[in-house]
Structure formats: C-alpha cells, structure tokens
Amino acid sequence: MQRLCHGRGYTHCKIHLSARTPMTMLMGRLAGVALELALAALLLLFLPPYYVYRFTASFLGSVFPDNVSGKVVLITGASSGIGEHLAYEYAKRGANLALVARREASLREVADNASALGSPSVLVLPADVSKPDDCLKFIDDTVAYFGRLDHLVNNASIWQVCKFEEVEDVSYFRTLMDINFWGHVYPTRYAIPHLKKTHGRIVGVTSNSSYIFIGRNTFYNASKAAALNFYNTLRMELGGDVRITEIVPGVVESEITKGKMLTKEGEMKVDQDERDAILGPTPAEPVAAFAKTAVKDVCRGERYVFEPRWYLAVYLFRVCFPEILAWSSRLLTVKTLGRPATTDTVGRQILDMPGVRWFTQTASLRSPEIQAR
C-alpha cells in the first residue's frame, strides 16, 4: 500500500481509500444504531423493576421519614425567600437551627419567627458564603454551639439578567459564581467531617436553570449547572456516608422572582421589567407551599425534589427534544417582534394580556416593595 502511494500509484491509492470511506462510515452508523437498539432494550427491561424500587423507597420514606426533631440544621441564604421558609418548615418539625446570611437584622427576624414555630434553639450567624474563612467559621460555630450537625442546606443565591454579548466585562459576574457555586462548595467541604459522624444530609438548592435553556441568564444558568453536577458527583464519591438531596426549584416566590438581579454593569438592583421579560407568563409558586413540599421530600430521603412538579415535563423535553426547548425559550425570552425595548419579549407581551399577570404572579411579585441590598 505504501508503494502505491508514490508516483503513478498515488491515484490508485487515493481511489482505493476513498472507496473504503463510505463503507467505514456505513459500518459506524450501523454499529451506532445497534447500540441504540440494545440500550433501548435494556431500558425496557430494567424500567419496570426500577420503578418498583423507586415506588417502594418513596413509600417507605413516607411511612418512616427522617425525624429531625432535636437535630441541627444549618441553612445558608436564610434571611428571605426560600431559605427563610425552609427554616420555618424545619422549625415546625422541632429542629435546632443555625441561620446564615449577610443581613443580620433580617436573620434575627427569621430566628424569632422560627422560635415561635417550634424550633428549640436558633443560632444567628451573619456571614458571606463566598468567603472560605466565613464558611469555616460558621460551620465551626454551629458544631461548637450544638455539638453536632445533621443537615447542611446550601441555598444562598443571586440572579443575573442580560445577554452575554451585552456584557462589557465578564469579571463583573465573578461574584455570582462565588455565591452560586463556591458558596455551595466551601460550606460542604468544611461540613462533611461533621456530617459523616451523624450520617447526615446535604441539601443543595439549585434551579431548573441548571438544565433548561433560559435566555439572558447565561452566568446564572452556568452557575446552577455547576452546582448541580457538583452534587451529583459528590453523591457518588460519598456513597452512603453522607446523603444528598438536590432541590430543583422552578419559578418560586422569592427576592429573585421579585426582580432583584445583577445587571450587565455588575450592579445589584431591582428591575421588574427585566424580570417580566424573562419569566413571562410562567406561574410562580408561593414560597410557603414550596418549602413545605421540599422539606417533606427531604425528610423522605428523596435524591431530587422537583418543585413545582410539572417542571419534570420540561426536563423530559430537555432530554428528548432539546431543539424544541431551545427554540421556545428563545421565542419567549429573547425575541421582541421588532419592538425597540429589549424587555418587550414575547413572554412579556403574553404576561401583559388581560388577567394573565393576576393568574400567574403572587401578590408579592406584583409589588415593587423590595430593596436591592
């Protein structure tokens, strides 16, 4: 063959190799189809017993849930929204609480409410989860005060709205990644030795943005996907020593869905026009109902908590029809149908139709009373 590729034989060599290329490609495609059929057959074979296992585990978790009465639960981002109401649900179940956030005054209000709801003891720990030293301190302070740690709930998060190409300096969004990703990693790193002693649980609050294409949320989507995959990998590494539940919220009543966000200039502000341009007519779940379901499922030992539940259907679209999901997301969150304002997206125009806003947004989301701090 090598001699045929010199002098006059070169043409013959080229033709011979070209003739083999379509056959090689065909064999590769047939092998791929065969593999897909084999995987489909295995899926059909194992799905029924797998769902029997899932149903049995869920049923047993409902009958014998984790009793958190007297246990110690640390919650980050606990001064408002999801973190605040997760604290209330744990308090109703008799858990001791360590509450972490930057706003001490708001934390103390939440602590007072949690005590009134049944928490035996509440520790207020003002801290910034993006700083490793702060994270080490609040983990150590919690264990020193209570003598143990049973649940670590990583919830702190901030939001960003703008197109990637509009950003003049991407370093503006290091803060977002520091809070949304490293703010999960640092507390987890320091808490694991204590959680192993109690056979405890890590609860990571991520977002449906970790797997759904949402336009103009470039950095936020990436940070949530990073956190989700961090927990997936960590679960595999830890095995049964420390259990992990990932809470995957959809649109839930919170400071984020009230319009608090990082702008393309890297400034924190409240902009409900931008909020409406992204969320459009998507129904928002009241945060109290969300937290009640989430904590119930955590205590049942669920690995994933999708809430509202209908987001599971969107997840299936992500897996089976990614092109359709990407097209619909672009239509609703990016397209403006020729209007000059970037906030006049198709989703926003649907939201402004008579009655839609009232039906899809809670009263707090329609109120401008929120501070960007």
Side-chain angles (χ1 to χ4, degrees):
M1 177 64 72
Q2 187 173 7
R3 283 185 301 166
L4 291 175
C5 291
H6 293 282
R8 296 179 180 177
Y10 176 75
T11 304
H12 175 70
C13 172
K14 184 176 180 180
I15 295 173
H16 179 64
L17 292 176
S18 299
R20 291 184 58 189
T21 302
M23 180 59 69
T24 303
M25 294 175 61
L26 177 60
M27 294 299 294
R29 290 177 181 175
L30 288 176
V33 171
L35 180 60
E36 290 176 0
L37 291 174
L39 290 175
L42 286 173
L43 189 64
L44 291 174
L45 179 64
F46 286 108
L47 267 182
Y50 171 72
Y51 277 108
V52 169
Y53 157 75
R54 285 288 305 274
F55 175 79
T56 304
S58 181
F59 174 75
L60 291 175
S62 300
V63 177
F64 306 106
D66 184 7
N67 182 7
V68 295
S69 178
K71 292 186 176 181
V72 179
V73 179
L74 187 153
I75 304 173
T76 68
S79 61
S80 66
I82 290 176
E84 173 187 355
H85 286 269
L86 290 176
Y88 296 158
E89 291 303 318
Y90 273 110
K92 293 174 186 177
R93 294 171 180 261
N96 296 297
L97 298 174
L99 304 180
V100 176
R102 289 174 292 185
R103 296 174 293 185
E104 184 173 357
S106 298
L107 270 184
R108 295 199 177 279
E109 291 179 13
V110 175
D112 291 341
N113 294 336
S115 296
L117 289 170
S119 180
S121 181
V122 184
L123 180 63
V124 172
L125 298 166
D128 186 341
V129 297
S130 69
K131 298 178 180 179
D133 290 344
D134 280 20
C135 295
L136 176 60
K137 187 176 187 306
F138 67 65
I139 294 293
D140 286 348
D141 288 350
T142 299
V143 175
Y145 186 84
F146 291 109
R148 60 185 293 159
L149 178 61
D150 297 278
H151 283 204
L152 169 67
V153 183
N154 289 319
N155 167 74
S157 182
I158 59 175
W159 195 35
Q160 155 266 329
V161 175
C162 63
K163 290 183 186 178
F164 180 74
E165 63 182 358
E166 294 175 345
V167 178
E168 293 183 4
D169 187 347
V170 295
S171 66
Y172 293 154
F173 299 94
R174 289 185 184 275
T175 299
L176 181 142
M177 187 61 74
D178 286 343
I179 293 173
N180 291 9
F181 177 65
W182 292 107
H184 288 239
V185 174
Y186 296 141
T188 298
R189 175 66 183 86
Y190 301 128
I192 283 177
H194 306 290
L195 293 171
K196 282 186 173 181
K197 294 177 183 178
T198 60
H199 193 55
R201 182 178 297 277
I202 299 168
V203 180
V205 181
T206 57
S207 171
N208 65 351
S209 296
S210 60
Y211 62 88
I212 296 178
F213 311 120
I214 300 179
R216 300 166 69 183
N217 280 174
T218 319
F219 298 97
Y220 181 76
N221 296 348
S223 69
K224 293 299 183 178
L228 186 75
N229 282 286
F230 166 69
Y231 289 122
N232 285 335
T233 307
L234 191 62
R235 181 188 290 114
M236 174 189 63
E237 293 180 357
L238 293 175
D241 293 339
V242 178
R243 296 157 293 173
I244 295 179
T245 296
E246 295 174 63
I247 298 177
V248 187
V251 179
V252 177
E253 179 186 18
S254 68
E255 286 192 342
I256 285 177
T257 52
K258 290 176 183 177
K260 185 177 179 180
M261 66 185 69
L262 276 177
T263 66
K264 61 185 179 182
E265 294 82 17
E267 299 175 354
M268 184 68 72
K269 72 174 185 178
V270 175
D271 190 329
Q272 295 185 338
D273 287 334
E274 288 281 8
R275 183 272 316 269
D276 290 344
I278 299 298
L279 301 184
T282 307
E285 182 173 21
V287 65
F290 167 86
K292 182 177 181 178
T293 299
V295 173
K296 179 185 70 175
D297 285 352
V298 166
C299 292
R300 288 171 56 182
E302 297 289 348
R303 291 161 62 95
Y304 301 93
V305 178
F306 287 87
E307 184 62 24
R309 303 291 197 209
W310 62 267
Y311 274 95
L312 276 171
V314 184
Y315 175 74
L316 292 177
F317 255 84
R318 168 68 174 86
V319 173
C320 301
F321 310 106
E323 295 86 358
I324 295 177
L325 184 61
W327 172 83
S328 60
S329 179
R330 175 173 172 76
L331 175 66
L332 292 173
T333 65
V334 179
K335 287 288 187 180
T336 59
L337 299 181
R339 299 194 179 191
T342 59
T343 55
D344 285 333
T345 61
V346 173
R348 167 71 182 273
Q349 294 169 39
I350 295 173
L351 180 67
D352 287 339
M353 291 180 179
V356 175
R357 187 181 297 273
W358 177 88
F359 180 77
T360 59
Q361 293 185 351
T362 63
S364 69
L365 267 62
R366 298 193 298 270
S367 170
E369 297 179 2
I370 176 175
Q371 295 181 358
R373 57 188 174 90

